[in-house]
């Protein structure tokens, strides 16, 4: 049974069928089998958050999951944030403009954690931003510029979609 | 930093999972949310022959109220507990403890049963289970049985579960009337494992004295530690800062040999246990007054 097992999943809106060895982690599957190298592998023990992706809309560590566990799931990676034409998502734009990154290694994880936050809280408080990003480590930028990037992106997203600003938070 | 080879099975019912455990007893390992097991696999600290993934066992995902308490299926994620309006309003201690577990990304995958059965001595849920007298239900080849949390925890990462049993449910009683609570811990970074923590309840009687109290420490021994000597200091007495400090001084008696590692020395953990007991008692009593 260590033979490859068939899985089906959707990644960034594209359906895939693949055969994976059970011990393959989801992050290795995304990077090596699908060629989606935007998701970074950091600590491989769930501490750094660099490999954060969305699984059925929730931010999770893709190093702490097996690819076989993603069978039937809907996955979103950093490649799915921007437009197909290469246009940056407002979060990516804000990280660039507000110096929310330096080396960029941790950035995909921060973007995905922030994306889940803004989906649920279009107008997050600083405490909510800290809570959502507390599981992501950055070793060069420091967190103030990252917090500011998320605040700026939230403002832009609300302006672009006024309906979202009126969304009742759960 | 890649998992070793293993076989993998994804049963869809508890019965199927138990059968698999029976067939592969010594080499099988249950995979719940994987937030503790995956790091162990990645670091090759464990090499199971077979992983039995409970992710597709739908019957283990629920939160419902019954008999004056909460019944939670073992595969319910911490995120589901955290988001439950019923938990937030009627089981605030469980809600507060949940928010102290890992980070949001960990709670999105990590499960209630996984935490309880993994039995990490620094984890919040096992201490909470002992503090509120939670009941743990397990299913094995001979059927099901229920254990009190205090009997469930045997040693470091060791529970009373038989090798062929699966933890399926935890029952968390609602706190008695006029009971305040606190879940206090010290961690280097919010979301990291606590160096030491305390789950405390205080019930105030109509005379304003402490009618009941529970003091359970975590991160200072092989299992959650109930500090009965400290509880006895509090029970029957009138709340005061001095009383909480006296109780704090007694918790050392149950701490035999706290861990000593890069995060904290044994001596510091002992000190934290005393301070956290004092603070948690004060907070719990204040809440009890508010609820009275």
């Amino acid at each position: 049974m260590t033979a490859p097992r068939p899985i089906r999943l959707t990644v960034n809106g594209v359906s895939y069928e693949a055969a994976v060895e059970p011990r393959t982690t989801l992050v290795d599957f995304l990077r090596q089998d699908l060629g989606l190298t935007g998701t970074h592998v950091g600590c491989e023990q769930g501490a750094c958050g660099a490999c954060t992706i969305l699984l059925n809309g929730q931010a999770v560590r893709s190093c702490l999951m097996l690819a076989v566990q993603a069978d039937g799931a809907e996955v979103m990676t950093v490649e799915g944030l921007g437009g197909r034409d290469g246009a940056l998502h407002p979060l990516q734009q804000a990280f660039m403009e507000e110096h929310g990154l330096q080396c960029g290694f941790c950035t995909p994880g921060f973007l995905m954690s922030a994306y889940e936050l803004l989906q649920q809280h279009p107008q997050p408080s600083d405490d909510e931003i800290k809570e959502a990003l507390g599981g992501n480590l950055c070793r060069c930028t420091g967190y103030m510029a990252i917090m500011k990037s998320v605040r700026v992106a939230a403002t832009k997203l609300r302006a672009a979609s006024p309906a979202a600003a009126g969304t009742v938070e759960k | 930093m890649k998992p070793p080879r293993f076989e993998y099975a994804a049963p869809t019912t508890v019965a199927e999972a138990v059968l698999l455990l029976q067939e592969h007893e010594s080499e099988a390992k249950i995979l719940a949310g994987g937030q503790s097991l995956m790091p162990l696999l990645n670091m090759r600290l464990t090499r199971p022959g077979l992983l039995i993934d409970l992710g597709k066992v739908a019957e283990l995902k629920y939160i419902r109220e019954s008999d004056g308490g909460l019944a939670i299926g073992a595969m319910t994620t911490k995120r589901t507990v955290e988001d439950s309006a019923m938990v937030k309003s009627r089981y605030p201690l469980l809600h507060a403890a949940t928010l102290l577990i890992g980070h949001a990304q960990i709670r999105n995958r990590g499960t209630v049963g996984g935490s309880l059965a993994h039995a990490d001595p620094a984890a919040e849920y096992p201490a909470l289970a002992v503090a509120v007298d939670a009941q743990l239900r397990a299913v094995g080849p001979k059927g099901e049985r229920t254990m009190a949390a205090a009997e469930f925890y045997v040693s470091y990462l060791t529970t009373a579960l038989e090798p062929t049993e699966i933890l399926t449910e935890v029952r968390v009683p609602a706190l008695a009337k006029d009971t305040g609570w606190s879940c206090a811990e010290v961690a280097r970074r919010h979301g990291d494992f606590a160096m030491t923590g305390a789950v405390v309840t205080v019930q105030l009687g109509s005379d304003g004295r402490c009618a009941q109290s529970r003091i359970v420490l975590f991160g200072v021994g092989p299992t959650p530690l109930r500090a009965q000597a400290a509880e006895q200091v509090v029970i029957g007495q009138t709340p005061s800062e001095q009383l909480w400090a006296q109780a704090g001084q007694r918790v050392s008696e149950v701490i035999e040999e706290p861990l000593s590692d890069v995060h904290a020395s044994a001596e510091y953990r002992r000190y934290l246990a005393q301070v956290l007991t004092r603070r948690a008692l004060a907070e719990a009593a204040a809440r009890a007054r508010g609820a009275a």
Side-chain angles (χ1 to χ4, degrees):
Chain A
M1 269 195 286
T2 54
R5 288 175 65 99
I7 58 167
R8 267 175 204 236
L9 74 172
T10 307
V11 182
N12 302 327
V14 180
S15 299
Y16 292 91
E17 284 186 36
V20 291
E21 209 189 333
R23 69 178 181 137
T24 305
T25 57
L26 180 57
V27 68
D28 283 341
F29 171 74
L30 292 170
R31 290 174 57 87
Q32 293 166 18
D33 293 39
L34 303 189
L36 296 170
T37 52
T39 304
H40 291 169
V41 194
C43 66
E44 291 184 277
Q45 49 183 286
C48 79
C51 68
T52 303
I53 54 134
L54 296 196
L55 180 82
N56 299 324
Q58 293 187 328
V60 304
R61 315 274 208 224
S62 58
C63 75
L64 294 191
M65 261 191 84
L66 301 168
V68 286
Q69 290 180 286
D71 184 30
E74 209 164 290
V75 171
M76 181 177 168
T77 68
V78 69
E79 286 92 344
L81 269 186
R84 287 182 195 276
D85 56 356
L88 294 181
H89 183 275
L91 261 171
Q92 293 169 305
Q93 191 72 35
F95 267 67
M96 195 176 81
E97 288 168 3
E98 303 300 331
H99 308 287
L101 69 145
Q102 282 184 41
C103 85
F105 191 87
C106 68
T107 312
F110 270 100
L111 288 169
M112 300 317 286
S113 292
Y115 182 84
E116 189 203 9
L117 170 72
L118 296 186
Q119 290 286 304
Q120 287 159 5
H121 302 281
Q123 201 161 353
S125 65
D126 279 3
D127 281 348
E128 284 169 334
I129 298 176
K130 283 181 195 168
E131 176 62 30
L133 302 185
N136 293 77
L137 293 179
C138 171
R139 286 290 159 89
C140 42
T141 306
Y143 301 96
M144 299 313 284
I146 292 172
M147 298 254 316
K148 188 174 182 201
S149 304
V150 175
R151 280 194 294 262
V152 167
T155 306
K156 280 189 181 164
L157 281 163
R158 285 199 307 274
S161 164
T167 306
V168 179
E169 294 186 15
K170 45 174 185 175
Chain B
M1 291 295 286
K2 304 290 176 194
R5 285 202 174 81
F6 49 77
E7 297 183 12
Y8 173 86
T12 54
T13 64
V14 172
E16 235 182 292
V18 170
L19 269 179
L20 280 162
L21 260 187
Q22 253 187 301
E23 282 169 35
H24 302 268
E25 185 178 324
S26 57
E27 49 160 21
K29 184 93 191 150
I30 294 286
L31 172 63
Q35 303 303 285
S36 297
L37 182 54
M38 282 298 297
L40 295 176
L41 286 169
N42 284 350
M43 291 186 272
R44 302 205 175 189
L45 294 172
T46 180
R47 292 170 175 271
L50 170 71
L51 272 195
I52 303 172
D53 180 6
L54 299 185
K56 292 193 192 295
V57 182
E59 64 184 292
L60 293 180
K61 297 174 188 175
Y62 58 87
I63 303 183
R64 53 179 172 246
E65 248 184 333
S66 64
D67 306 333
L70 203 59
I72 307 175
M75 286 299 290
T76 306
T77 65
K78 284 151 196 158
R79 175 62 179 271
T80 306
V81 175
E82 173 182 341
D83 284 350
S84 159
M86 178 174 60
V87 171
K88 201 171 179 179
S89 65
R90 292 219 281 279
Y91 300 84
L93 169 56
L94 176 60
H95 182 77
T98 305
L99 291 178
L100 290 173
I101 301 172
H103 304 285
Q105 296 84 354
I106 300 288
R107 296 195 297 273
N108 280 341
R109 289 287 297 167
T111 64
V112 173
S115 275
L116 288 166
H118 184 55
D120 191 302
E124 292 83 358
Y125 274 177
L128 178 139
V130 172
V132 302
D133 288 328
Q135 297 282 317
L136 301 162
R137 199 179 75 186
V139 174
K142 286 179 240 160
E144 65 171 67
R145 65 177 175 134
T146 301
M147 287 162 273
E151 296 153 22
F152 187 74
Y153 293 101
V154 175
S155 187
Y156 290 103
L157 310 177
T158 308
T159 68
L161 281 176
E162 296 291 333
T164 51
E165 280 182 321
I166 294 173
L167 178 66
T168 55
E169 182 185 273
V170 58
R171 281 176 179 266
V172 180
L175 292 180
K177 197 174 166 290
D178 304 330
T179 300
W181 53 271
S182 175
C183 182
E185 67 178 42
V186 173
R188 286 199 179 262
R189 181 175 65 135
H190 176 70
D192 284 355
F193 269 114
M195 291 184 276
T196 300
V199 179
V200 165
T201 61
V202 172
Q203 184 180 25
L204 291 181
S206 51
D207 57 358
R209 291 170 186 265
C210 301
Q212 279 302 329
S213 178
R214 271 299 172 91
I215 301 170
V216 177
L217 303 164
F218 55 98
V220 286
T223 62
L225 294 181
R226 186 173 163 197
Q228 275 167 304
E231 292 169 5
Q232 289 309 318
V233 169
V234 168
I235 294 169
Q237 302 300 314
T238 305
S240 72
E241 283 302 319
Q242 202 189 355
L243 184 67
W244 311 143
Q246 279 168 11
Q249 281 159 10
R250 299 293 298 274
V251 297
S252 288
E253 291 169 28
V254 287
I255 306 171
E256 285 174 5
E257 205 179 333
L259 276 175
S260 197
D261 57 22
V262 290
H263 303 295
S265 65
E267 192 190 0
Y268 184 52
R269 282 192 160 89
R270 244 177 227 286
Y271 173 71
L272 284 178
Q274 187 178 327
V275 172
L276 286 168
T277 299
R278 173 165 55 78
R279 287 184 194 161
L281 279 166
E283 188 176 50
R287 282 205 172 95
R289 273 194 296 276

